[in-house]
Amino acid sequence: GDHLEELLERRRGGPRAQARAAPPPNQLQQLFQMIPLILLIVLSLWSGYPSQYGDPPFSLEKRGKYQIERSTKSRGVVPNIKYYVPDGFSAKYARDPYSLARVDQSVETEFEQNLRYSCLTQKEQQRHLVYQARHSRSRTQRDEAMERARNFKLSSCDQLEEVFGVRVA
């Protein structure tokens, strides 16, 4: 009869039903659990350098208004990473060592992220070549394709390891 009693209790919403029902998730608690993720997204969107006009103070490529070549020199930053700045950069940043160091740090971070992305892209291209080689019809085609895959240059991966000591699996 205990089982029948339990079913009746549940229907009536009695103490047994309430004890067994999972407590409703607290929305505030869920929001607090999301804060680290939200912060991560916000921080990744925020580049970490001040900009009054919304334009970054540098570019890793010479393009548009970014024509003046510079390279990183700040302490604690990988030296000699080339980047390009617009006219007026020196007036705004070069006289303030702290601001210049922040720009150098941003250059280093962006450079490393670009290398990581390029490395992953090259590894994916290499995996695709291996896949194609494995699915070649003849042994000769397979061997030639596998050789191409083995010789595929992972220049960004090499540079990432050389400059930052990072290996991407």
Side-chain angles (χ1 to χ4, degrees), residues 46-149:
W46 179 65
S47 340
Y49 42 74
S51 180
Q52 295 170 338
Y53 310 108
D55 287 337
F58 70 90
S59 170
L60 293 179
E61 286 135 35
K62 188 175 186 174
R63 61 181 168 82
K65 67 180 188 175
Y66 302 96
Q67 295 294 316
I68 302 163
E69 185 179 303
R70 293 184 58 94
S71 60
T72 54
K73 294 177 184 70
S74 299
R75 219 170 119 218
V77 174
V78 171
N80 303 319
I81 299 171
K82 279 187 191 169
Y83 64 100
Y84 300 88
V85 298
D87 284 339
F89 176 87
S90 290
K92 211 174 201 179
Y93 294 95
R95 292 189 199 121
D96 177 11
Y98 177 73
S99 292
L100 192 55
R102 285 183 58 193
V103 170
D104 277 4
Q105 288 167 349
S106 296
V107 167
E108 180 188 61
T109 299
E110 189 172 316
F111 182 69
E112 182 180 0
Q113 287 172 345
N114 288 355
L115 279 179
R116 282 177 186 269
Y117 178 77
S118 294
C119 174
L120 290 171
T121 301
Q122 289 173 351
K123 290 231 179 217
E124 193 52 46
Q125 289 170 331
Q126 188 181 45
R127 279 188 209 99
H128 184 67
L129 289 173
V130 168
Y131 174 83
Q132 284 180 321
R134 286 186 179 148
H135 293 84
S136 295
R137 292 184 186 273
S138 73
R139 183 182 259 314
T140 310
Q141 284 178 325
R142 195 169 28 255
D143 291 346
E144 287 172 1
M146 204 50 101
E147 188 64 25
R148 272 196 307 277

Side-chain angles (χ1 to χ4, degrees), residues 25-39:
N26 183 339
Q27 289 180 340
L28 193 60
Q29 203 172 15
Q30 285 179 335
L31 182 65
F32 279 125
Q33 288 173 346
M34 295 292 288
I35 285 176
L37 181 63
I38 293 167
L39 275 176

